[in-house]
Amino acid sequence: MRILVVEDDRRIAGFLERGLAAEGHQVAVELDGRDGLERARTDEFELIILDRMLPYIDGLEVAKLLREERGKAMILMLTARDSLEDKIEGLKGGADDYMTKPFAFEELLARIVALRRRRADLDDAEGELRVGPLALDPESRRVSRDGRPIALTAREFELLRYLMSNADKVVSRERLLNGVWSYGYDPGTKIVDVYVRYLRAKIDVPGEPSLIETVRGVGYMMPGRR
């Protein structure tokens, strides 16, 4: 993979560059958010490993800007901030996965493999998805309800795409965590429920049944027809 590392700690940046190169990846390094953003805009990368706290432009802002510009690179955010609120903020801001420092290099490699596999699975599901009044175009990353455009964050988009790809099937929280966030199952996390709530606020119409049904004790389902 072509990987961009944006990390202001030279020791960590050098460690990542050497380790990822040894695994066969092509690695570029930038040491601040401003240069990292410019490099991500001008070169083609499959993955960006992005520190949260960076000089000039914060890593969270870099992720948001790249998503607003519809950048296709996956983003793995590294940070010393490990609260649930920080993770939700990072994921909502555009990161595809989130790891806290210090981290084991073996886990980082496993996360990269999971992200790549998830991207390949999503790329295989080509063509526009339609479920009830919703339409989702994976190529343009546009979503609409009855022709009305709906603006979604990168994470909301991936969650909706996963649910629509599995229309009429009950999808467990465990599958959603693994398929959308690449997390191992943590029965204590509420991140799936939080993002389903975000989605419902954008795709549902007041006074009408939600397009995402809750299956108590299991997960969620999008009925193919209404």
Side-chain angles (χ1 to χ4, degrees):
M1 297 178 70
R2 282 183 51 78
I3 299 176
L4 173 62
V5 175
V6 188
E7 167 64 64
D8 65 323
D9 186 317
R10 292 178 181 271
R11 181 181 58 84
I12 295 176
F15 167 74
L16 289 173
E17 183 178 21
R18 292 189 299 273
L20 292 170
E23 293 293 323
H25 300 291
Q26 299 178 51
V27 187
V29 175
E30 297 295 345
L31 299 173
D32 62 64
R34 183 177 57 198
D35 289 344
L37 178 60
E38 183 62 25
R39 188 70 176 273
R41 284 170 166 167
T42 56
D43 290 353
E44 290 286 336
F45 294 100
E46 296 172 77
L47 173 67
I48 300 172
I49 298 177
L50 183 63
D51 187 25
R52 172 69 182 265
M53 301 177 68
L54 290 166
Y56 303 118
I57 304 177
D58 179 74
L60 183 61
E61 184 64 21
V62 171
K64 288 179 179 178
L65 289 169
L66 291 174
R67 289 310 182 215
E68 288 171 2
E69 296 166 10
R70 300 190 181 279
K72 293 184 178 181
M74 297 175 288
I75 297 175
L76 172 59
M77 188 168 287
L78 299 177
T79 180
R81 302 169 68 172
D82 60 357
S83 72
L84 177 60
E85 291 75 15
D86 289 324
K87 291 180 180 179
I88 290 174
E89 185 180 25
L91 294 168
K92 190 176 180 181
D96 294 286
D97 203 351
Y98 190 108
M99 285 188 67
T100 55
K101 299 176 181 178
F103 58 88
F105 186 67
E106 290 76 10
E107 181 184 358
L108 176 70
L109 293 177
R111 296 285 188 100
I112 291 173
V113 170
L115 282 170
R116 194 173 193 178
R117 183 171 58 243
R118 190 178 82 212
R119 174 59 60 86
D121 289 344
L122 292 173
D123 288 344
D124 286 342
E126 296 179 352
E128 185 179 72
L129 296 174
R130 288 187 173 273
V131 177
L134 286 180
L136 182 150
D137 186 341
E139 183 65 26
S140 66
R141 299 184 71 84
R142 290 188 173 91
V143 176
S144 62
R145 174 169 180 154
D146 292 325
R148 176 181 59 84
I150 299 172
L152 300 179
T153 66
R155 184 64 58 175
E156 291 165 350
F157 180 90
E158 299 300 345
L159 176 58
L160 181 61
R161 176 156 63 167
Y162 198 96
L163 289 168
M164 292 178 70
S165 296
N166 290 277
D168 290 321
K169 299 177 184 177
V170 178
V171 184
S172 69
R173 289 176 176 82
E174 178 180 4
R175 280 189 63 195
L176 289 170
L177 281 168
N178 288 328
V180 180
W181 280 272
S182 300
Y183 284 177
Y185 183 47
D186 177 359
T189 186
K190 299 294 183 183
I191 197 166
V192 172
D193 305 289
V194 169
Y195 270 83
V196 167
R197 187 166 68 247
Y198 291 156
L199 263 184
R200 283 173 169 162
K202 294 184 177 182
I203 68 174
D204 288 343
V205 172
E208 296 186 16
S210 175
L211 297 177
I212 304 175
E213 293 184 357
T214 300
V215 181
R216 190 176 298 277
V218 182
Y220 297 96
M221 180 180 72
M222 292 193 73
R225 295 183 180 179
R226 286 285 178 181

PDB file of all heavy atoms in Angstrom, residues 116-150:
ATOM      1  N   ARG A 116      -8.079  -2.560   4.974  1.00  0.00           N
ATOM      2  CA  ARG A 116      -7.936  -2.890   3.548  1.00  0.00           C
ATOM      3  C   ARG A 116      -8.993  -3.901   3.117  1.00  0.00           C
ATOM      4  O   ARG A 116      -9.561  -3.801   2.018  1.00  0.00           O
ATOM      5  CB  ARG A 116      -6.533  -3.434   3.299  1.00  0.00           C
ATOM      6  CG  ARG A 116      -6.167  -3.497   1.830  1.00  0.00           C
ATOM      7  CD  ARG A 116      -4.714  -3.889   1.663  1.00  0.00           C
ATOM      8  NE  ARG A 116      -4.248  -3.665   0.311  1.00  0.00           N
ATOM      9  CZ  ARG A 116      -3.012  -3.886  -0.089  1.00  0.00           C
ATOM     10  NH1 ARG A 116      -2.106  -4.310   0.777  1.00  0.00           N
ATOM     11  NH2 ARG A 116      -2.659  -3.662  -1.336  1.00  0.00           N
ATOM     12  N   ARG A 117      -9.250  -4.893   3.968  1.00  0.00           N
ATOM     13  CA  ARG A 117     -10.259  -5.902   3.652  1.00  0.00           C
ATOM     14  C   ARG A 117     -11.645  -5.267   3.579  1.00  0.00           C
ATOM     15  O   ARG A 117     -12.438  -5.568   2.690  1.00  0.00           O
ATOM     16  CB  ARG A 117     -10.238  -7.006   4.707  1.00  0.00           C
ATOM     17  CG  ARG A 117     -11.223  -8.149   4.423  1.00  0.00           C
ATOM     18  CD  ARG A 117     -11.005  -9.308   5.365  1.00  0.00           C
ATOM     19  NE  ARG A 117     -11.141  -8.910   6.753  1.00  0.00           N
ATOM     20  CZ  ARG A 117     -10.162  -8.961   7.646  1.00  0.00           C
ATOM     21  NH1 ARG A 117      -8.953  -9.346   7.294  1.00  0.00           N
ATOM     22  NH2 ARG A 117     -10.374  -8.597   8.900  1.00  0.00           N
ATOM     23  N   ARG A 118     -11.925  -4.374   4.511  1.00  0.00           N
ATOM     24  CA  ARG A 118     -13.234  -3.713   4.512  1.00  0.00           C
ATOM     25  C   ARG A 118     -13.415  -2.850   3.274  1.00  0.00           C
ATOM     26  O   ARG A 118     -14.465  -2.853   2.649  1.00  0.00           O
ATOM     27  CB  ARG A 118     -13.372  -2.839   5.761  1.00  0.00           C
ATOM     28  CG  ARG A 118     -14.787  -2.313   5.961  1.00  0.00           C
ATOM     29  CD  ARG A 118     -14.869  -1.504   7.223  1.00  0.00           C
ATOM     30  NE  ARG A 118     -14.413  -0.148   7.013  1.00  0.00           N
ATOM     31  CZ  ARG A 118     -13.808   0.597   7.917  1.00  0.00           C
ATOM     32  NH1 ARG A 118     -13.534   0.099   9.088  1.00  0.00           N
ATOM     33  NH2 ARG A 118     -13.455   1.827   7.641  1.00  0.00           N
ATOM     34  N   ARG A 119     -12.357  -2.143   2.863  1.00  0.00           N
ATOM     35  CA  ARG A 119     -12.440  -1.327   1.667  1.00  0.00           C
ATOM     36  C   ARG A 119     -12.675  -2.204   0.439  1.00  0.00           C
ATOM     37  O   ARG A 119     -13.456  -1.862  -0.448  1.00  0.00           O
ATOM     38  CB  ARG A 119     -11.164  -0.503   1.513  1.00  0.00           C
ATOM     39  CG  ARG A 119     -11.058   0.288   0.208  1.00  0.00           C
ATOM     40  CD  ARG A 119     -12.192   1.274   0.020  1.00  0.00           C
ATOM     41  NE  ARG A 119     -12.265   2.259   1.060  1.00  0.00           N
ATOM     42  CZ  ARG A 119     -11.579   3.396   1.073  1.00  0.00           C
ATOM     43  NH1 ARG A 119     -10.747   3.684   0.093  1.00  0.00           N
ATOM     44  NH2 ARG A 119     -11.740   4.244   2.064  1.00  0.00           N
ATOM     45  N   ALA A 120     -11.990  -3.356   0.371  1.00  0.00           N
ATOM     46  CA  ALA A 120     -12.161  -4.259  -0.764  1.00  0.00           C
ATOM     47  C   ALA A 120     -13.589  -4.793  -0.817  1.00  0.00           C
ATOM     48  O   ALA A 120     -14.193  -4.892  -1.892  1.00  0.00           O
ATOM     49  CB  ALA A 120     -11.168  -5.416  -0.679  1.00  0.00           C
ATOM     50  N   ASP A 121     -14.146  -5.137   0.341  1.00  0.00           N
ATOM     51  CA  ASP A 121     -15.526  -5.633   0.385  1.00  0.00           C
ATOM     52  C   ASP A 121     -16.503  -4.572  -0.098  1.00  0.00           C
ATOM     53  O   ASP A 121     -17.458  -4.868  -0.821  1.00  0.00           O
ATOM     54  CB  ASP A 121     -15.890  -6.053   1.813  1.00  0.00           C
ATOM     55  CG  ASP A 121     -15.174  -7.321   2.251  1.00  0.00           C
ATOM     56  OD1 ASP A 121     -14.651  -8.040   1.367  1.00  0.00           O
ATOM     57  OD2 ASP A 121     -15.122  -7.578   3.465  1.00  0.00           O
ATOM     58  N   LEU A 122     -16.267  -3.330   0.307  1.00  0.00           N
ATOM     59  CA  LEU A 122     -17.154  -2.249  -0.106  1.00  0.00           C
ATOM     60  C   LEU A 122     -17.009  -1.947  -1.585  1.00  0.00           C
ATOM     61  O   LEU A 122     -17.987  -1.670  -2.281  1.00  0.00           O
ATOM     62  CB  LEU A 122     -16.869  -0.991   0.730  1.00  0.00           C
ATOM     63  CG  LEU A 122     -17.249  -1.074   2.205  1.00  0.00           C
ATOM     64  CD1 LEU A 122     -16.772   0.162   2.949  1.00  0.00           C
ATOM     65  CD2 LEU A 122     -18.754  -1.245   2.386  1.00  0.00           C
ATOM     66  N   ASP A 123     -15.786  -2.010  -2.102  1.00  0.00           N
ATOM     67  CA  ASP A 123     -15.560  -1.753  -3.517  1.00  0.00           C
ATOM     68  C   ASP A 123     -16.219  -2.816  -4.389  1.00  0.00           C
ATOM     69  O   ASP A 123     -16.609  -2.549  -5.532  1.00  0.00           O
ATOM     70  CB  ASP A 123     -14.065  -1.687  -3.819  1.00  0.00           C
ATOM     71  CG  ASP A 123     -13.417  -0.412  -3.277  1.00  0.00           C
ATOM     72  OD1 ASP A 123     -14.165   0.524  -2.950  1.00  0.00           O
ATOM     73  OD2 ASP A 123     -12.183  -0.375  -3.178  1.00  0.00           O
ATOM     74  N   ASP A 124     -16.353  -4.046  -3.837  1.00  0.00           N
ATOM     75  CA  ASP A 124     -16.995  -5.115  -4.593  1.00  0.00           C
ATOM     76  C   ASP A 124     -18.494  -4.862  -4.770  1.00  0.00           C
ATOM     77  O   ASP A 124     -19.110  -5.357  -5.706  1.00  0.00           O
ATOM     78  CB  ASP A 124     -16.798  -6.463  -3.887  1.00  0.00           C
ATOM     79  CG  ASP A 124     -15.372  -6.969  -4.049  1.00  0.00           C
ATOM     80  OD1 ASP A 124     -14.670  -6.481  -4.953  1.00  0.00           O
ATOM     81  OD2 ASP A 124     -14.968  -7.832  -3.261  1.00  0.00           O
ATOM     82  N   ALA A 125     -19.064  -4.100  -3.839  1.00  0.00           N
ATOM     83  CA  ALA A 125     -20.501  -3.803  -3.907  1.00  0.00           C
ATOM     84  C   ALA A 125     -20.717  -2.582  -4.790  1.00  0.00           C
ATOM     85  O   ALA A 125     -21.011  -1.484  -4.318  1.00  0.00           O
ATOM     86  CB  ALA A 125     -21.050  -3.565  -2.501  1.00  0.00           C
ATOM     87  N   GLU A 126     -20.505  -2.769  -6.096  1.00  0.00           N
ATOM     88  CA  GLU A 126     -20.574  -1.651  -7.015  1.00  0.00           C
ATOM     89  C   GLU A 126     -22.018  -1.322  -7.349  1.00  0.00           C
ATOM     90  O   GLU A 126     -22.910  -2.131  -7.200  1.00  0.00           O
ATOM     91  CB  GLU A 126     -19.803  -1.979  -8.303  1.00  0.00           C
ATOM     92  CG  GLU A 126     -18.313  -2.179  -8.080  1.00  0.00           C
ATOM     93  CD  GLU A 126     -17.590  -2.522  -9.357  1.00  0.00           C
ATOM     94  OE1 GLU A 126     -18.295  -2.756 -10.368  1.00  0.00           O
ATOM     95  OE2 GLU A 126     -16.362  -2.581  -9.342  1.00  0.00           O
ATOM     96  N   GLY A 127     -22.232  -0.120  -7.871  1.00  0.00           N
ATOM     97  CA  GLY A 127     -23.551   0.294  -8.304  1.00  0.00           C
ATOM     98  C   GLY A 127     -24.340   0.975  -7.206  1.00  0.00           C
ATOM     99  O   GLY A 127     -24.054   0.841  -6.017  1.00  0.00           O
ATOM    100  N   GLU A 128     -25.345   1.708  -7.627  1.00  0.00           N
ATOM    101  CA  GLU A 128     -26.180   2.449  -6.690  1.00  0.00           C
ATOM    102  C   GLU A 128     -27.020   1.507  -5.844  1.00  0.00           C
ATOM    103  O   GLU A 128     -27.544   0.509  -6.347  1.00  0.00           O
ATOM    104  CB  GLU A 128     -27.090   3.405  -7.457  1.00  0.00           C
ATOM    105  CG  GLU A 128     -27.910   4.307  -6.557  1.00  0.00           C
ATOM    106  CD  GLU A 128     -28.782   5.270  -7.340  1.00  0.00           C
ATOM    107  OE1 GLU A 128     -29.776   4.799  -7.944  1.00  0.00           O
ATOM    108  OE2 GLU A 128     -28.478   6.475  -7.359  1.00  0.00           O
ATOM    109  N   LEU A 129     -27.137   1.814  -4.574  1.00  0.00           N
ATOM    110  CA  LEU A 129     -27.977   1.044  -3.660  1.00  0.00           C
ATOM    111  C   LEU A 129     -29.293   1.785  -3.466  1.00  0.00           C
ATOM    112  O   LEU A 129     -29.311   3.003  -3.307  1.00  0.00           O
ATOM    113  CB  LEU A 129     -27.278   0.872  -2.309  1.00  0.00           C
ATOM    114  CG  LEU A 129     -25.984   0.065  -2.289  1.00  0.00           C
ATOM    115  CD1 LEU A 129     -25.349   0.127  -0.907  1.00  0.00           C
ATOM    116  CD2 LEU A 129     -26.225  -1.383  -2.678  1.00  0.00           C
ATOM    117  N   ARG A 130     -30.383   1.032  -3.455  1.00  0.00           N
ATOM    118  CA  ARG A 130     -31.705   1.615  -3.201  1.00  0.00           C
ATOM    119  C   ARG A 130     -32.434   0.760  -2.184  1.00  0.00           C
ATOM    120  O   ARG A 130     -32.570  -0.449  -2.367  1.00  0.00           O
ATOM    121  CB  ARG A 130     -32.516   1.715  -4.484  1.00  0.00           C
ATOM    122  CG  ARG A 130     -32.028   2.791  -5.441  1.00  0.00           C
ATOM    123  CD  ARG A 130     -32.960   2.981  -6.627  1.00  0.00           C
ATOM    124  NE  ARG A 130     -32.562   4.122  -7.436  1.00  0.00           N
ATOM    125  CZ  ARG A 130     -32.941   5.372  -7.214  1.00  0.00           C
ATOM    126  NH1 ARG A 130     -33.767   5.632  -6.189  1.00  0.00           N
ATOM    127  NH2 ARG A 130     -32.528   6.354  -7.994  1.00  0.00           N
ATOM    128  N   VAL A 131     -32.884   1.398  -1.130  1.00  0.00           N
ATOM    129  CA  VAL A 131     -33.683   0.740  -0.106  1.00  0.00           C
ATOM    130  C   VAL A 131     -34.827   1.680   0.250  1.00  0.00           C
ATOM    131  O   VAL A 131     -34.592   2.761   0.799  1.00  0.00           O
ATOM    132  CB  VAL A 131     -32.859   0.404   1.154  1.00  0.00           C
ATOM    133  CG1 VAL A 131     -33.752  -0.219   2.218  1.00  0.00           C
ATOM    134  CG2 VAL A 131     -31.717  -0.550   0.820  1.00  0.00           C
ATOM    135  N   GLY A 132     -36.060   1.286  -0.090  1.00  0.00           N
ATOM    136  CA  GLY A 132     -37.197   2.166   0.152  1.00  0.00           C
ATOM    137  C   GLY A 132     -36.996   3.492  -0.571  1.00  0.00           C
ATOM    138  O   GLY A 132     -36.650   3.521  -1.752  1.00  0.00           O
ATOM    139  N   PRO A 133     -37.159   4.615   0.135  1.00  0.00           N
ATOM    140  CA  PRO A 133     -36.993   5.922  -0.511  1.00  0.00           C
ATOM    141  C   PRO A 133     -35.553   6.389  -0.597  1.00  0.00           C
ATOM    142  O   PRO A 133     -35.271   7.448  -1.153  1.00  0.00           O
ATOM    143  CB  PRO A 133     -37.790   6.846   0.416  1.00  0.00           C
ATOM    144  CG  PRO A 133     -37.638   6.222   1.770  1.00  0.00           C
ATOM    145  CD  PRO A 133     -37.635   4.729   1.519  1.00  0.00           C
ATOM    146  N   LEU A 134     -34.614   5.590  -0.054  1.00  0.00           N
ATOM    147  CA  LEU A 134     -33.210   5.997  -0.014  1.00  0.00           C
ATOM    148  C   LEU A 134     -32.439   5.510  -1.235  1.00  0.00           C
ATOM    149  O   LEU A 134     -32.628   4.385  -1.700  1.00  0.00           O
ATOM    150  CB  LEU A 134     -32.516   5.457   1.236  1.00  0.00           C
ATOM    151  CG  LEU A 134     -32.818   6.097   2.590  1.00  0.00           C
ATOM    152  CD1 LEU A 134     -32.011   5.396   3.665  1.00  0.00           C
ATOM    153  CD2 LEU A 134     -32.501   7.580   2.570  1.00  0.00           C
ATOM    154  N   ALA A 135     -31.538   6.359  -1.710  1.00  0.00           N
ATOM    155  CA  ALA A 135     -30.606   5.989  -2.779  1.00  0.00           C
ATOM    156  C   ALA A 135     -29.203   6.380  -2.344  1.00  0.00           C
ATOM    157  O   ALA A 135     -28.997   7.473  -1.810  1.00  0.00           O
ATOM    158  CB  ALA A 135     -30.968   6.687  -4.087  1.00  0.00           C
ATOM    159  N   LEU A 136     -28.241   5.492  -2.551  1.00  0.00           N
ATOM    160  CA  LEU A 136     -26.851   5.744  -2.161  1.00  0.00           C
ATOM    161  C   LEU A 136     -25.953   5.368  -3.327  1.00  0.00           C
ATOM    162  O   LEU A 136     -26.012   4.248  -3.836  1.00  0.00           O
ATOM    163  CB  LEU A 136     -26.503   4.939  -0.912  1.00  0.00           C
ATOM    164  CG  LEU A 136     -25.094   5.101  -0.330  1.00  0.00           C
ATOM    165  CD1 LEU A 136     -25.124   4.885   1.196  1.00  0.00           C
ATOM    166  CD2 LEU A 136     -24.111   4.102  -0.950  1.00  0.00           C
ATOM    167  N   ASP A 137     -25.124   6.305  -3.759  1.00  0.00           N
ATOM    168  CA  ASP A 137     -24.180   6.079  -4.855  1.00  0.00           C
ATOM    169  C   ASP A 137     -22.770   5.965  -4.278  1.00  0.00           C
ATOM    170  O   ASP A 137     -22.201   6.969  -3.838  1.00  0.00           O
ATOM    171  CB  ASP A 137     -24.251   7.238  -5.852  1.00  0.00           C
ATOM    172  CG  ASP A 137     -23.395   6.990  -7.091  1.00  0.00           C
ATOM    173  OD1 ASP A 137     -22.494   6.127  -7.033  1.00  0.00           O
ATOM    174  OD2 ASP A 137     -23.617   7.656  -8.109  1.00  0.00           O
ATOM    175  N   PRO A 138     -22.183   4.752  -4.254  1.00  0.00           N
ATOM    176  CA  PRO A 138     -20.849   4.584  -3.672  1.00  0.00           C
ATOM    177  C   PRO A 138     -19.764   5.380  -4.378  1.00  0.00           C
ATOM    178  O   PRO A 138     -18.801   5.804  -3.749  1.00  0.00           O
ATOM    179  CB  PRO A 138     -20.595   3.072  -3.800  1.00  0.00           C
ATOM    180  CG  PRO A 138     -21.946   2.469  -3.944  1.00  0.00           C
ATOM    181  CD  PRO A 138     -22.751   3.478  -4.701  1.00  0.00           C
ATOM    182  N   GLU A 139     -19.904   5.578  -5.692  1.00  0.00           N
ATOM    183  CA  GLU A 139     -18.868   6.261  -6.454  1.00  0.00           C
ATOM    184  C   GLU A 139     -18.815   7.749  -6.126  1.00  0.00           C
ATOM    185  O   GLU A 139     -17.759   8.311  -5.832  1.00  0.00           O
ATOM    186  CB  GLU A 139     -19.107   6.062  -7.953  1.00  0.00           C
ATOM    187  CG  GLU A 139     -18.029   6.670  -8.831  1.00  0.00           C
ATOM    188  CD  GLU A 139     -16.673   6.022  -8.648  1.00  0.00           C
ATOM    189  OE1 GLU A 139     -16.625   4.837  -8.247  1.00  0.00           O
ATOM    190  OE2 GLU A 139     -15.665   6.693  -8.896  1.00  0.00           O
ATOM    191  N   SER A 140     -19.968   8.408  -6.170  1.00  0.00           N
ATOM    192  CA  SER A 140     -20.008   9.849  -5.891  1.00  0.00           C
ATOM    193  C   SER A 140     -20.182  10.142  -4.404  1.00  0.00           C
ATOM    194  O   SER A 140     -20.035  11.280  -3.981  1.00  0.00           O
ATOM    195  CB  SER A 140     -21.158  10.506  -6.664  1.00  0.00           C
ATOM    196  OG  SER A 140     -22.416  10.039  -6.196  1.00  0.00           O
ATOM    197  N   ARG A 141     -20.517   9.094  -3.632  1.00  0.00           N
ATOM    198  CA  ARG A 141     -20.753   9.202  -2.193  1.00  0.00           C
ATOM    199  C   ARG A 141     -21.915  10.165  -1.904  1.00  0.00           C
ATOM    200  O   ARG A 141     -21.909  10.896  -0.926  1.00  0.00           O
ATOM    201  CB  ARG A 141     -19.476   9.636  -1.450  1.00  0.00           C
ATOM    202  CG  ARG A 141     -18.334   8.652  -1.614  1.00  0.00           C
ATOM    203  CD  ARG A 141     -17.124   9.055  -0.807  1.00  0.00           C
ATOM    204  NE  ARG A 141     -17.330   8.884   0.627  1.00  0.00           N
ATOM    205  CZ  ARG A 141     -17.168   7.746   1.280  1.00  0.00           C
ATOM    206  NH1 ARG A 141     -16.828   6.644   0.635  1.00  0.00           N
ATOM    207  NH2 ARG A 141     -17.357   7.679   2.587  1.00  0.00           N
ATOM    208  N   ARG A 142     -22.925  10.093  -2.755  1.00  0.00           N
ATOM    209  CA  ARG A 142     -24.119  10.913  -2.562  1.00  0.00           C
ATOM    210  C   ARG A 142     -25.257  10.041  -2.050  1.00  0.00           C
ATOM    211  O   ARG A 142     -25.420   8.889  -2.467  1.00  0.00           O
ATOM    212  CB  ARG A 142     -24.529  11.601  -3.862  1.00  0.00           C
ATOM    213  CG  ARG A 142     -23.574  12.708  -4.297  1.00  0.00           C
ATOM    214  CD  ARG A 142     -24.143  13.481  -5.482  1.00  0.00           C
ATOM    215  NE  ARG A 142     -23.315  14.631  -5.800  1.00  0.00           N
ATOM    216  CZ  ARG A 142     -22.307  14.610  -6.664  1.00  0.00           C
ATOM    217  NH1 ARG A 142     -22.011  13.482  -7.286  1.00  0.00           N
ATOM    218  NH2 ARG A 142     -21.592  15.687  -6.903  1.00  0.00           N
ATOM    219  N   VAL A 143     -26.056  10.632  -1.165  1.00  0.00           N
ATOM    220  CA  VAL A 143     -27.216   9.953  -0.590  1.00  0.00           C
ATOM    221  C   VAL A 143     -28.421  10.868  -0.739  1.00  0.00           C
ATOM    222  O   VAL A 143     -28.310  12.084  -0.578  1.00  0.00           O
ATOM    223  CB  VAL A 143     -26.988   9.626   0.910  1.00  0.00           C
ATOM    224  CG1 VAL A 143     -28.242   9.007   1.524  1.00  0.00           C
ATOM    225  CG2 VAL A 143     -25.794   8.700   1.084  1.00  0.00           C
ATOM    226  N   SER A 144     -29.566  10.271  -1.057  1.00  0.00           N
ATOM    227  CA  SER A 144     -30.779  11.083  -1.175  1.00  0.00           C
ATOM    228  C   SER A 144     -31.980  10.277  -0.703  1.00  0.00           C
ATOM    229  O   SER A 144     -31.979   9.039  -0.717  1.00  0.00           O
ATOM    230  CB  SER A 144     -30.996  11.533  -2.624  1.00  0.00           C
ATOM    231  OG  SER A 144     -31.172  10.414  -3.476  1.00  0.00           O
ATOM    232  N   ARG A 145     -33.007  11.001  -0.275  1.00  0.00           N
ATOM    233  CA  ARG A 145     -34.289  10.388   0.068  1.00  0.00           C
ATOM    234  C   ARG A 145     -35.351  11.029  -0.812  1.00  0.00           C
ATOM    235  O   ARG A 145     -35.575  12.234  -0.738  1.00  0.00           O
ATOM    236  CB  ARG A 145     -34.625  10.584   1.541  1.00  0.00           C
ATOM    237  CG  ARG A 145     -36.035  10.071   1.880  1.00  0.00           C
ATOM    238  CD  ARG A 145     -36.332   9.988   3.349  1.00  0.00           C
ATOM    239  NE  ARG A 145     -37.686   9.502   3.538  1.00  0.00           N
ATOM    240  CZ  ARG A 145     -38.138   8.859   4.619  1.00  0.00           C
ATOM    241  NH1 ARG A 145     -37.307   8.616   5.616  1.00  0.00           N
ATOM    242  NH2 ARG A 145     -39.389   8.455   4.689  1.00  0.00           N
ATOM    243  N   ASP A 146     -35.998  10.217  -1.653  1.00  0.00           N
ATOM    244  CA  ASP A 146     -36.991  10.720  -2.601  1.00  0.00           C
ATOM    245  C   ASP A 146     -36.431  11.885  -3.419  1.00  0.00           C
ATOM    246  O   ASP A 146     -37.124  12.872  -3.681  1.00  0.00           O
ATOM    247  CB  ASP A 146     -38.265  11.142  -1.868  1.00  0.00           C
ATOM    248  CG  ASP A 146     -39.007   9.958  -1.266  1.00  0.00           C
ATOM    249  OD1 ASP A 146     -38.990   8.875  -1.886  1.00  0.00           O
ATOM    250  OD2 ASP A 146     -39.598  10.112  -0.180  1.00  0.00           O
ATOM    251  N   GLY A 147     -35.143  11.766  -3.767  1.00  0.00           N
ATOM    252  CA  GLY A 147     -34.511  12.800  -4.579  1.00  0.00           C
ATOM    253  C   GLY A 147     -33.934  13.963  -3.805  1.00  0.00           C
ATOM    254  O   GLY A 147     -33.245  14.813  -4.377  1.00  0.00           O
ATOM    255  N   ARG A 148     -34.192  14.025  -2.496  1.00  0.00           N
ATOM    256  CA  ARG A 148     -33.681  15.126  -1.675  1.00  0.00           C
ATOM    257  C   ARG A 148     -32.302  14.757  -1.152  1.00  0.00           C
ATOM    258  O   ARG A 148     -32.162  13.762  -0.439  1.00  0.00           O
ATOM    259  CB  ARG A 148     -34.629  15.405  -0.505  1.00  0.00           C
ATOM    260  CG  ARG A 148     -34.117  16.482   0.474  1.00  0.00           C
ATOM    261  CD  ARG A 148     -35.102  16.681   1.612  1.00  0.00           C
ATOM    262  NE  ARG A 148     -35.332  15.472   2.373  1.00  0.00           N
ATOM    263  CZ  ARG A 148     -34.561  15.041   3.362  1.00  0.00           C
ATOM    264  NH1 ARG A 148     -33.477  15.732   3.713  1.00  0.00           N
ATOM    265  NH2 ARG A 148     -34.861  13.934   4.013  1.00  0.00           N
ATOM    266  N   PRO A 149     -31.253  15.538  -1.457  1.00  0.00           N
ATOM    267  CA  PRO A 149     -29.898  15.207  -0.994  1.00  0.00           C
ATOM    268  C   PRO A 149     -29.799  15.205   0.532  1.00  0.00           C
ATOM    269  O   PRO A 149     -30.425  16.019   1.207  1.00  0.00           O
ATOM    270  CB  PRO A 149     -29.038  16.319  -1.601  1.00  0.00           C
ATOM    271  CG  PRO A 149     -29.839  16.868  -2.727  1.00  0.00           C
ATOM    272  CD  PRO A 149     -31.266  16.749  -2.299  1.00  0.00           C
ATOM    273  N   ILE A 150     -28.997  14.288   1.047  1.00  0.00           N
ATOM    274  CA  ILE A 150     -28.750  14.183   2.481  1.00  0.00           C
ATOM    275  C   ILE A 150     -27.244  14.231   2.704  1.00  0.00           C
ATOM    276  O   ILE A 150     -26.506  13.430   2.128  1.00  0.00           O
ATOM    277  CB  ILE A 150     -29.319  12.879   3.065  1.00  0.00           C
ATOM    278  CG1 ILE A 150     -30.842  12.812   2.861  1.00  0.00           C
ATOM    279  CG2 ILE A 150     -28.975  12.749   4.546  1.00  0.00           C
ATOM    280  CD1 ILE A 150     -31.444  11.473   3.249  1.00  0.00           C
TER     281      ILE A 150
END
